[in-house]
Amino acid sequence: MDMKRDYYEDIRLFDSKVQVFWTIVLFFALGLFPLLGGHYYAYLFNLMAIHAIVALGLNILIGYTGQISLGHAGFFAIGAYSCAMLYKVYSVSFLVALPAGAFISAGFGFLVGLPALRLEGPYLTIATMGFGMAVTQFVGHWSFLGGRMGLDIPKLKILGLELSSDTELYYLIMGITVVMTVGARNLVNSRVGRALVAIRDSDIAAQTMGVNLTYYKTLAFAISAFYTGVAGGLMAFVLGFISPENFNLMLSIVFLGMVVVGGLGSIPGSIAGAMLLTYLQIRLSSVQDMWLVGPWIVEISERWFNVGGMANLQNIIIGLIMVLIVMFEPLGMYGFWIRTKRYWRTWPF
């Protein structure tokens, strides 16, 4: 039965023993995966997990608070550069540099959240987009951060242990992703989460009930930026090199797409949307190598597209998926899962 009868049923981590069983199976599979899948799939899952952290943070802002942002590539860049500079230039331990970079990103999130007190809808979207583009330009013109040439990131060391391969990074990133997921889940079920949902549904009604709009709107931006900063710091070490081109406007749009495709206001949906779009981005970047379909797609790209070539196709397919999701399933992949579950529970009636 899905209906919760008291607060303690709402905040408990698992609703049934079946969920506990499948969670244990999932962790067991995740632990064995790098040993069976190899370095490439470990790298792919690292990217999926990092983007899932971003989607979790962005969903807290958009799905639970109702505030739109197209500037999360900026927070991503701040987290990546802050963590990288602390680790590389100032020799700060990674265990300190990663949260420090995330808190710096959260500080900028708090500042960006201040205009949200007066701006809504497209005006807030434009303001956040301007912030993201300004960060990219700022980073590109400051030689201390490597400028347009970018920044090399040294191998990651934790307590004297070097994590040089994607497989070794996999366990660290998966562990952090699990912690961030549990944190997001507990946050949205707490008093803070209910205040954010009240603001999303009606900020006037929320204020009437005593919700401090100034505090909670800026807090939502700060929390979302914190999550994105953590992801940015991890991404710097996965890539081994960062430059302003890694944090462009298109990245912010893809982050927004992950939340919409996965499902607004859904923790599992955030993870599912991030995994799907990350997988499509990687696969579509080498679509010309696909059996039978590849040469046909290359011909279409050369005949109808401009110099962008195959990159256009990648953006078109991802954009088409977003349009279809919005048209036919506004709750995204999570909504599809809910429909499927209800169908099987009531089958054959």
Side-chain angles (χ1 to χ4, degrees), residues 119-159:
L119 300 178
E120 290 184 352
Y123 304 102
L124 180 60
T125 305
I126 295 298
T128 54
M129 184 178 70
F131 166 77
M133 296 173 68
V135 170
T136 305
Q137 293 297 319
F138 177 77
V139 170
H141 286 84
W142 200 9
S143 58
F144 177 66
L145 298 176
R148 294 290 175 189
M149 299 299 292
L151 194 67
D152 287 319
I153 313 298
K155 295 293 183 183
L156 177 60
K157 283 187 178 180
I158 299 179
L159 303 176

Side-chain angles (χ1 to χ4, degrees), residues 73 76-78 80-81 84 135-137 139-141 145-153 235-236 239-248 251:
F76 200 55
I78 292 172
Y81 274 95
V135 170
T136 305
Q137 293 297 319
V139 170
H141 286 84
L145 298 176
R148 294 290 175 189
M149 299 299 292
L151 194 67
D152 287 319
I153 313 298
M235 182 63 87
L239 297 179
F241 173 81
I242 53 176
S243 70
E245 283 70 26
N246 295 127
F247 310 100
N248 52 31
L251 183 64

